[in-house]
Amino acid sequence: MRKALFIDRDGTLNVDVNYAHKVEDCHLLEEWIWEVLQKCRDAGYLLIVTTNQAGIDKWYYTEEDFWKFHAELERQLGMQFDKVYFCPYHPDISGEHSWRKPNNGMILQANTDFDIDLSASYMIGDNLKDIEAWNKSQCKTILINKQNNLDVTDSHVVPEYVVMSWQEIEKIILHT
Ligand SMILES: [Mg+2]
């Protein structure tokens, strides 16, 4: 069994600009993210992106735009992810979909594809939908609260860790 990092995209890897899809809008949240990811990969973690992309359903952009943005993200990071799962559906247009966070269909698919030890894996996201999805899957959860600055004190969804930077994420994953 492998262990994995399930990583949200917008607001976690890149700055969220609301339906980010233009290559020129791709800006890393922090410049050293690649170093943290590389260290985690060296420690045996698969690097898996899991992202809601309902802008595709809304015709704000196409799947091709999504992949161009992803290629730019990987170019800036100087590395490639092991897998990308994205959910293009919006409930108002295509109805509920098991892959759309806070549902956990993407993680179940990843588990089928890679045989992942979920209890040894982490989910990293900037939104409580991310945390909720992965709480259903017994992963450890890290909320990066840098861009949204969410108040999680009276939320019914409780992340195990709340951090403000990828350096803190590195400490949690590699040194706890
Ligand atoms: Mg996000």
Side-chain angles (χ1 to χ4, degrees):
M1 282 181 121
R2 302 286 306 272
K3 52 190 179 178
L5 303 187
F6 297 102
I7 311 161
D8 172 54
R9 197 191 78 179
D10 301 327
T12 301
L13 290 168
N14 54 278
V15 177
D16 192 356
V17 294
N18 204 16
Y19 296 107
H21 63 283
K22 292 183 185 155
V23 165
E24 58 267 32
D25 287 338
C26 184
H27 305 289
L28 295 178
L29 193 72
E30 294 173 8
E31 61 189 287
W32 49 77
I33 291 175
W34 71 271
E35 273 188 73
V36 179
L37 293 176
Q38 189 58 53
K39 285 178 191 171
C40 291
R41 175 172 272 166
D42 292 344
Y45 289 92
L46 289 164
L47 305 177
I48 298 175
V49 174
T50 54
T51 175
N52 283 353
Q53 292 294 329
I56 295 172
D57 225 6
K58 294 182 174 182
W59 289 40
Y60 293 166
Y61 52 94
T62 65
E63 190 174 330
E64 190 183 351
D65 295 327
F66 167 79
W67 286 114
K68 278 185 192 159
F69 190 97
H70 183 75
E72 174 62 15
L73 185 62
E74 288 189 329
R75 188 192 70 76
Q76 290 187 26
L77 288 166
M79 63 192 306
Q80 295 191 316
F81 293 92
D82 294 299
K83 186 78 179 179
V84 182
Y85 297 97
F86 68 99
C87 180
Y89 306 115
H90 190 276
D92 293 346
I93 299 162
S94 298
E96 279 295 330
H97 195 278
S98 63
W99 277 34
R100 182 174 164 80
K101 297 179 278 188
N103 300 322
N104 65 346
M106 288 192 275
I107 200 170
L108 297 178
Q109 186 61 49
N111 202 22
T112 301
D113 294 344
F114 292 97
D115 189 23
I116 291 168
D117 180 356
L118 295 177
S119 64
S121 299
Y122 288 87
M123 176 275 140
I124 304 162
D126 72 316
N127 188 304
L128 291 174
K129 270 187 205 167
D130 301 314
I131 306 301
E132 199 174 347
W134 311 130
N135 274 347
K136 290 173 185 163
S137 313
Q138 300 169 326
C139 287
K140 292 172 266 194
T141 50
I142 302 173
L143 178 75
I144 182 160
N145 209 11
K146 183 168 181 154
Q147 196 178 346
N148 293 336
N149 201 18
L150 300 171
D151 181 4
V152 294
T153 47
D154 53 31
S155 164
H156 71 288
V157 179
V158 182
E160 281 176 84
Y161 303 95
V162 180
V163 301
M164 295 296 285
S165 74
W166 274 85
Q167 286 165 326
E168 290 174 78
I169 292 173
E170 177 184 335
K171 278 190 202 141
I172 291 165
I173 296 174
L174 299 176
H175 306 293
T176 56

mmCIF file of all heavy atoms in Angstrom, residues 85-103:
data_model
loop_
_atom_site.group_PDB
_atom_site.id
_atom_site.type_symbol
_atom_site.label_atom_id
_atom_site.label_comp_id
_atom_site.label_asym_id
_atom_site.label_seq_id
_atom_site.Cartn_x
_atom_site.Cartn_y
_atom_site.Cartn_z
ATOM 1 N N TYR A 85 -7.204 14.313 -10.330
ATOM 2 C CA TYR A 85 -8.636 14.037 -10.425
ATOM 3 C C TYR A 85 -9.359 15.371 -10.346
ATOM 4 O O TYR A 85 -9.061 16.189 -9.472
ATOM 5 C CB TYR A 85 -9.101 13.144 -9.266
ATOM 6 C CG TYR A 85 -8.463 11.782 -9.254
ATOM 7 C CD1 TYR A 85 -7.355 11.529 -8.459
ATOM 8 C CD2 TYR A 85 -8.967 10.752 -10.037
ATOM 9 C CE1 TYR A 85 -6.758 10.279 -8.445
ATOM 10 C CE2 TYR A 85 -8.383 9.499 -10.031
ATOM 11 C CZ TYR A 85 -7.270 9.267 -9.236
ATOM 12 O OH TYR A 85 -6.679 8.034 -9.219
ATOM 13 N N PHE A 86 -10.291 15.586 -11.268
ATOM 14 C CA PHE A 86 -11.078 16.821 -11.194
ATOM 15 C C PHE A 86 -12.542 16.505 -11.447
ATOM 16 O O PHE A 86 -12.874 15.576 -12.186
ATOM 17 C CB PHE A 86 -10.562 17.869 -12.186
ATOM 18 C CG PHE A 86 -10.782 17.535 -13.631
ATOM 19 C CD1 PHE A 86 -11.852 18.096 -14.326
ATOM 20 C CD2 PHE A 86 -9.936 16.666 -14.295
ATOM 21 C CE1 PHE A 86 -12.054 17.799 -15.666
ATOM 22 C CE2 PHE A 86 -10.146 16.353 -15.629
ATOM 23 C CZ PHE A 86 -11.196 16.921 -16.315
ATOM 24 N N CYS A 87 -13.403 17.290 -10.804
ATOM 25 C CA CYS A 87 -14.844 17.117 -10.997
ATOM 26 C C CYS A 87 -15.387 18.328 -11.744
ATOM 27 O O CYS A 87 -15.431 19.423 -11.188
ATOM 28 C CB CYS A 87 -15.560 16.952 -9.658
ATOM 29 S SG CYS A 87 -17.334 16.733 -9.932
ATOM 30 N N PRO A 88 -15.797 18.153 -13.001
ATOM 31 C CA PRO A 88 -16.260 19.294 -13.798
ATOM 32 C C PRO A 88 -17.723 19.653 -13.570
ATOM 33 O O PRO A 88 -18.219 20.578 -14.194
ATOM 34 C CB PRO A 88 -16.054 18.793 -15.239
ATOM 35 C CG PRO A 88 -16.277 17.317 -15.142
ATOM 36 C CD PRO A 88 -15.769 16.902 -13.772
ATOM 37 N N TYR A 89 -18.417 18.927 -12.702
ATOM 38 C CA TYR A 89 -19.872 19.058 -12.613
ATOM 39 C C TYR A 89 -20.323 20.030 -11.537
ATOM 40 O O TYR A 89 -19.735 20.111 -10.458
ATOM 41 C CB TYR A 89 -20.501 17.687 -12.348
ATOM 42 C CG TYR A 89 -20.076 16.661 -13.346
ATOM 43 C CD1 TYR A 89 -19.314 15.572 -12.964
ATOM 44 C CD2 TYR A 89 -20.398 16.812 -14.697
ATOM 45 C CE1 TYR A 89 -18.888 14.636 -13.898
ATOM 46 C CE2 TYR A 89 -19.975 15.885 -15.629
ATOM 47 C CZ TYR A 89 -19.218 14.800 -15.220
ATOM 48 O OH TYR A 89 -18.790 13.884 -16.145
ATOM 49 N N HIS A 90 -21.399 20.747 -11.837
ATOM 50 C CA HIS A 90 -22.035 21.604 -10.832
ATOM 51 C C HIS A 90 -23.445 21.055 -10.561
ATOM 52 O O HIS A 90 -24.161 20.704 -11.513
ATOM 53 C CB HIS A 90 -22.110 23.053 -11.310
ATOM 54 C CG HIS A 90 -22.534 23.975 -10.217
ATOM 55 N ND1 HIS A 90 -23.852 24.183 -9.892
ATOM 56 C CD2 HIS A 90 -21.803 24.701 -9.331
ATOM 57 C CE1 HIS A 90 -23.919 25.015 -8.865
ATOM 58 N NE2 HIS A 90 -22.694 25.351 -8.501
ATOM 59 N N PRO A 91 -23.850 21.001 -9.301
ATOM 60 C CA PRO A 91 -25.152 20.403 -8.963
ATOM 61 C C PRO A 91 -26.315 21.056 -9.700
ATOM 62 O O PRO A 91 -27.276 20.367 -10.069
ATOM 63 C CB PRO A 91 -25.273 20.637 -7.451
ATOM 64 C CG PRO A 91 -23.900 20.879 -6.973
ATOM 65 C CD PRO A 91 -23.098 21.419 -8.111
ATOM 66 N N ASP A 92 -26.265 22.363 -9.944
ATOM 67 C CA ASP A 92 -27.390 23.055 -10.606
ATOM 68 C C ASP A 92 -27.500 22.690 -12.080
ATOM 69 O O ASP A 92 -28.532 22.925 -12.700
ATOM 70 C CB ASP A 92 -27.217 24.579 -10.510
ATOM 71 C CG ASP A 92 -27.334 25.058 -9.074
ATOM 72 O OD1 ASP A 92 -27.795 24.271 -8.232
ATOM 73 O OD2 ASP A 92 -26.944 26.212 -8.823
ATOM 74 N N ILE A 93 -26.434 22.147 -12.630
ATOM 75 C CA ILE A 93 -26.421 21.868 -14.065
ATOM 76 C C ILE A 93 -26.485 20.363 -14.334
ATOM 77 O O ILE A 93 -27.341 19.897 -15.076
ATOM 78 C CB ILE A 93 -25.163 22.496 -14.718
ATOM 79 C CG1 ILE A 93 -25.219 24.011 -14.517
ATOM 80 C CG2 ILE A 93 -25.082 22.145 -16.209
ATOM 81 C CD1 ILE A 93 -23.923 24.717 -14.711
ATOM 82 N N SER A 94 -25.596 19.636 -13.708
ATOM 83 C CA SER A 94 -25.538 18.192 -13.973
ATOM 84 C C SER A 94 -26.049 17.346 -12.818
ATOM 85 O O SER A 94 -25.997 16.124 -12.877
ATOM 86 C CB SER A 94 -24.089 17.789 -14.267
ATOM 87 O OG SER A 94 -23.633 18.453 -15.414
ATOM 88 N N GLY A 95 -26.487 18.004 -11.745
ATOM 89 C CA GLY A 95 -26.937 17.253 -10.576
ATOM 90 C C GLY A 95 -25.763 16.889 -9.670
ATOM 91 O O GLY A 95 -24.601 17.160 -9.986
ATOM 92 N N GLU A 96 -26.089 16.298 -8.547
ATOM 93 C CA GLU A 96 -25.042 15.893 -7.595
ATOM 94 C C GLU A 96 -24.136 14.849 -8.231
ATOM 95 O O GLU A 96 -24.604 13.995 -8.983
ATOM 96 C CB GLU A 96 -25.684 15.298 -6.335
ATOM 97 C CG GLU A 96 -26.169 16.323 -5.341
ATOM 98 C CD GLU A 96 -25.034 17.145 -4.730
ATOM 99 O OE1 GLU A 96 -23.907 16.623 -4.605
ATOM 100 O OE2 GLU A 96 -25.275 18.325 -4.411
ATOM 101 N N HIS A 97 -22.865 14.934 -7.938
ATOM 102 C CA HIS A 97 -21.925 13.941 -8.440
ATOM 103 C C HIS A 97 -21.029 13.473 -7.290
ATOM 104 O O HIS A 97 -20.595 14.282 -6.474
ATOM 105 C CB HIS A 97 -21.073 14.543 -9.561
ATOM 106 C CG HIS A 97 -20.339 13.498 -10.350
ATOM 107 N ND1 HIS A 97 -19.152 12.948 -9.920
ATOM 108 C CD2 HIS A 97 -20.638 12.894 -11.518
ATOM 109 C CE1 HIS A 97 -18.746 12.043 -10.805
ATOM 110 N NE2 HIS A 97 -19.629 11.993 -11.775
ATOM 111 N N SER A 98 -20.775 12.181 -7.274
ATOM 112 C CA SER A 98 -20.027 11.611 -6.143
ATOM 113 C C SER A 98 -18.594 12.155 -6.064
ATOM 114 O O SER A 98 -17.963 12.108 -5.018
ATOM 115 C CB SER A 98 -19.985 10.090 -6.256
ATOM 116 O OG SER A 98 -19.285 9.713 -7.427
ATOM 117 N N TRP A 99 -18.077 12.667 -7.180
ATOM 118 C CA TRP A 99 -16.712 13.197 -7.163
ATOM 119 C C TRP A 99 -16.630 14.613 -6.616
ATOM 120 O O TRP A 99 -15.565 15.089 -6.274
ATOM 121 C CB TRP A 99 -16.119 13.182 -8.586
ATOM 122 C CG TRP A 99 -15.552 11.856 -8.973
ATOM 123 C CD1 TRP A 99 -16.009 10.625 -8.608
ATOM 124 C CD2 TRP A 99 -14.410 11.629 -9.811
ATOM 125 N NE1 TRP A 99 -15.234 9.644 -9.173
ATOM 126 C CE2 TRP A 99 -14.249 10.234 -9.919
ATOM 127 C CE3 TRP A 99 -13.523 12.463 -10.503
ATOM 128 C CZ2 TRP A 99 -13.222 9.653 -10.674
ATOM 129 C CZ3 TRP A 99 -12.509 11.893 -11.247
ATOM 130 C CH2 TRP A 99 -12.362 10.502 -11.329
ATOM 131 N N ARG A 100 -17.753 15.333 -6.605
ATOM 132 C CA ARG A 100 -17.684 16.737 -6.211
ATOM 133 C C ARG A 100 -17.539 16.857 -4.697
ATOM 134 O O ARG A 100 -18.412 16.420 -3.942
ATOM 135 C CB ARG A 100 -18.933 17.483 -6.697
ATOM 136 C CG ARG A 100 -18.910 18.972 -6.362
ATOM 137 C CD ARG A 100 -20.087 19.705 -6.974
ATOM 138 N NE ARG A 100 -20.266 20.992 -6.350
ATOM 139 C CZ ARG A 100 -19.546 22.092 -6.630
ATOM 140 N NH1 ARG A 100 -18.596 22.049 -7.544
ATOM 141 N NH2 ARG A 100 -19.769 23.219 -6.004
ATOM 142 N N LYS A 101 -16.443 17.459 -4.253
ATOM 143 C CA LYS A 101 -16.269 17.698 -2.831
ATOM 144 C C LYS A 101 -17.400 18.600 -2.340
ATOM 145 O O LYS A 101 -17.756 19.534 -3.048
ATOM 146 C CB LYS A 101 -14.908 18.376 -2.579
ATOM 147 C CG LYS A 101 -13.725 17.509 -2.972
ATOM 148 C CD LYS A 101 -12.386 18.207 -2.727
ATOM 149 C CE LYS A 101 -11.997 19.147 -3.840
ATOM 150 N NZ LYS A 101 -10.615 19.690 -3.715
ATOM 151 N N PRO A 102 -18.044 18.350 -1.206
ATOM 152 C CA PRO A 102 -17.541 17.526 -0.110
ATOM 153 C C PRO A 102 -17.807 16.024 -0.214
ATOM 154 O O PRO A 102 -17.583 15.319 0.761
ATOM 155 C CB PRO A 102 -18.285 18.102 1.104
ATOM 156 C CG PRO A 102 -19.584 18.558 0.553
ATOM 157 C CD PRO A 102 -19.263 19.091 -0.820
ATOM 158 N N ASN A 103 -18.289 15.521 -1.356
ATOM 159 C CA ASN A 103 -18.338 14.067 -1.519
ATOM 160 C C ASN A 103 -16.912 13.543 -1.723
ATOM 161 O O ASN A 103 -16.019 14.286 -2.114
ATOM 162 C CB ASN A 103 -19.226 13.693 -2.705
ATOM 163 C CG ASN A 103 -20.648 14.180 -2.518
ATOM 164 O OD1 ASN A 103 -21.177 14.149 -1.410
ATOM 165 N ND2 ASN A 103 -21.266 14.674 -3.585
#
